[in-house]
Amino acid sequence: MKLCIVTHKLLKGDGQARVNYEIVSDMLQRGHEVTVCASSVAPELLARSNLIWRKVPVKGWPTQLLKNQVFAVLSTFQLLRLRQHYDVLMVNGFITWLKSDINAVHFVHSSWIKSPAHPFKLKKNLFGWYQLSFTLLNSLLERVAFARTSQLVPVSHKVKNEIQAVTARGNPNVIMNGVDVTEFHPDQNVSRERWELPENVPLALFAGDIKSSRKNLDSVLKAMQDVKELHLAVAGETQGSPYVKLAEQLGLSERVHFLGFRKDLSELMKCVDFFVFPSRYEACTLVVIEALASGLPVITTYESGVSELIEMEAGFILHHPEDVAGLATAMKRLATNAELRSVQGKKAREVAERHSWSTVAAAYMQLFEKVSAEKKRGSYGAI
């Protein structure tokens, strides 16, 4: 099979890039020829003889908004005359002007703009106006992309519902994100010493972009005031983040430990007691599934698509991200009950094992074969 995937990046580092990395890795391992239209690709994949990289340069453009539009135009010209040579062309949201066979949807801007946590609704400054412009434009363009594909693949049922709110397209095929269950796994022998974290105290972990209000670290810090025995490790780039100062103002400096951006998250997760991530909007964030695989009970919200994976025995799901009292109650229960943590942690691992990357890749492979067979029986047309 000849497969083409259009994605900004093909790396293990984050979100959409990681999902596509795992899909491509599996397809290459199966012996398929994969063409990737991207700005950057992991070196280990470039070493594979059956991978073709069609580079889309966007470096030097001043904003992400411009980079995305330049990428869309350049990728269209790169693949316009080649798309008929591929058995399957998969894109990710609005990323190109080409008509696609499959569109994997990792984020719905039309829903994000309605959130009270959208930056423009919080502060109508220059950054807020830029974010409004970014979201409005992408809301329009994603509808074009949704209409110009044969198969929509939302990464959660939450995203599926959001798609169906803006398009009349059939019944999207949900394929949730996965996790490397060998990289992320429980291990009680990892010491906290390397991160200079206190031993013999209950320790929660928050990980994500702590410059963004969307991840909701502010509610976690407010809830910490009522959970006196709990310490919190925070993994995320602190430069430009308002939450270091907020922790100081709330008198939490001794119990909240800012660790900066971490590449050793799989090891860090082995030495904490539970994971807290009450996001205000999420599609299907990988870090929560990674926490489940690490055997950690998880506290999140129904606004996070990944909450669909968290059976009640594997953690707590808040009905609303602004429920600081409910968040504090859940945190206190886990901080003070080692037996509850153990029971929920085992269940969390069981849930994650059903969502390994090999399982996710197999679901995509099945979809690729289905779409390829349908194309052989007819044509979806050109751009």
Side-chain angles (χ1 to χ4, degrees):
M1 183 182 296
K2 292 184 178 180
L3 173 69
C4 179
I5 293 182
V6 186
T7 179
H8 291 293
K9 299 177 183 178
L10 197 67
L11 304 168
K12 292 185 75 172
D14 56 56
Q16 179 183 309
R18 178 62 184 268
V19 177
N20 285 283
Y21 175 95
E22 296 294 343
I23 295 169
V24 170
S25 297
D26 188 87
M27 297 305 109
L28 294 173
Q29 186 66 32
R30 293 171 186 262
H32 300 294
E33 179 185 287
V34 182
T35 297
V36 179
C37 195
S39 296
S40 56
V41 176
E44 63 270 22
L45 295 183
L46 290 176
R48 300 294 298 269
S49 61
N50 50 336
L51 183 129
I52 300 168
W53 179 23
R54 302 192 66 84
K55 187 173 182 179
V56 183
V58 295
K59 187 176 180 180
W61 292 91
T63 68
Q64 193 61 49
L65 181 62
L66 287 173
K67 286 180 181 178
N68 288 356
Q69 302 316 307
V70 170
F71 186 102
V73 172
L74 294 181
S75 63
T76 300
F77 282 110
Q78 284 225 26
L79 297 174
L80 184 57
R81 289 182 294 177
L82 296 173
R83 73 174 304 276
Q84 298 300 330
H85 296 287
Y86 303 120
D87 296 304
V88 177
L89 172 63
M90 186 174 92
V91 304
N92 295 265
F94 175 79
I95 197 169
T96 183
W97 287 100
L98 285 171
K99 176 178 171 61
S100 63
D101 300 316
I102 297 171
N103 191 319
V105 185
H106 302 264
F107 197 92
V108 180
H109 295 273
S110 303
S111 293
W112 170 226
I113 201 168
K114 297 175 184 176
S115 171
H118 190 280
F120 180 73
K121 294 181 181 178
L122 299 177
K123 287 186 178 181
K124 292 177 176 56
N125 54 12
L126 183 61
F127 177 74
W129 281 103
Y130 167 76
Q131 288 294 320
L132 178 65
S133 302
F134 185 93
T135 308
L136 281 174
L137 179 60
N138 279 284
S139 296
L140 294 173
L141 293 176
E142 70 186 5
R143 295 186 188 209
V144 174
F146 295 165
R148 296 176 60 77
T149 192
S150 299
Q151 293 280 339
L152 285 165
V153 182
V155 296
S156 67
H157 289 279
K158 175 180 181 291
V159 171
K160 174 183 175 179
N161 294 336
E162 292 172 349
I163 290 173
Q164 291 180 318
V166 297
T167 178
R169 293 292 310 280
N171 188 28
N173 182 32
V174 175
I175 301 179
M176 298 193 76
N177 293 336
V179 63
D180 186 336
V181 293
T182 59
E183 178 184 3
F184 292 88
H185 62 86
D187 184 352
Q188 297 180 344
N189 296 317
V190 175
S191 171
R192 298 174 180 177
E193 184 177 0
R194 75 172 79 171
W195 298 281
E196 298 182 351
L197 293 169
E199 301 282 358
N200 304 316
V201 296
L203 177 65
L205 172 65
F206 178 99
D209 179 4
I210 64 170
K211 291 180 285 186
S212 168
S213 62
R214 181 162 66 89
K215 304 298 182 179
N216 202 12
L217 178 56
D218 49 304
S219 288
V220 178
L221 295 177
K222 292 172 185 175
M224 283 284 294
Q225 296 177 99
D226 294 326
V227 193
K228 306 297 184 183
E229 60 275 25
L230 181 65
H231 284 244
L232 176 70
V234 179
E237 177 57 57
T238 56
Q239 186 174 358
S241 171
Y243 299 115
V244 176
K245 184 176 181 180
L246 178 60
E248 294 175 356
Q249 292 173 340
L250 296 175
L252 299 172
S253 297
E254 296 297 317
R255 293 194 290 123
V256 177
H257 313 274
F258 289 92
L259 306 179
F261 176 77
R262 307 301 310 186
K263 291 185 177 181
D264 55 355
L265 201 57
S266 61
E267 290 301 298
L268 180 59
M269 284 185 172
K270 293 180 175 69
C271 76
V272 302
D273 295 307
F274 62 92
F275 188 73
V276 56
F277 192 79
S279 180
R280 293 182 167 110
Y281 178 83
E282 215 71 44
C284 186
T285 184
L286 297 184
V287 71
V288 173
I289 313 177
E290 291 164 353
L292 294 171
S294 301
L296 296 178
V298 169
I299 303 172
T300 189
T301 72
Y302 281 110
E303 295 300 319
S304 173
V306 78
S307 65
E308 299 161 23
L309 294 181
I310 302 174
E311 302 169 22
M312 295 309 295
E313 297 87 351
F316 296 91
I317 306 172
L318 304 176
H319 287 279
H320 199 284
E322 309 308 324
D323 182 9
V324 175
L327 177 58
T329 298
M331 290 166 63
K332 189 171 187 65
R333 286 192 63 187
L334 287 173
T336 58
N337 193 330
E339 182 178 354
L340 177 62
R341 294 198 301 266
S342 177
V343 170
Q344 290 193 342
K346 289 177 182 177
K347 187 65 178 181
R349 176 65 184 182
E350 290 174 9
V351 170
E353 286 175 342
R354 299 198 293 268
H355 293 272
S356 67
W357 282 124
S358 60
T359 302
V360 172
Y364 275 99
M365 185 70 243
Q366 185 177 11
L367 181 60
F368 295 156
E369 291 173 342
K370 174 178 177 290
V371 169
S372 178
E374 289 176 351
K375 288 182 70 175
K376 289 177 181 177
R377 294 194 294 267
S379 173
Y380 293 142
I383 179 174

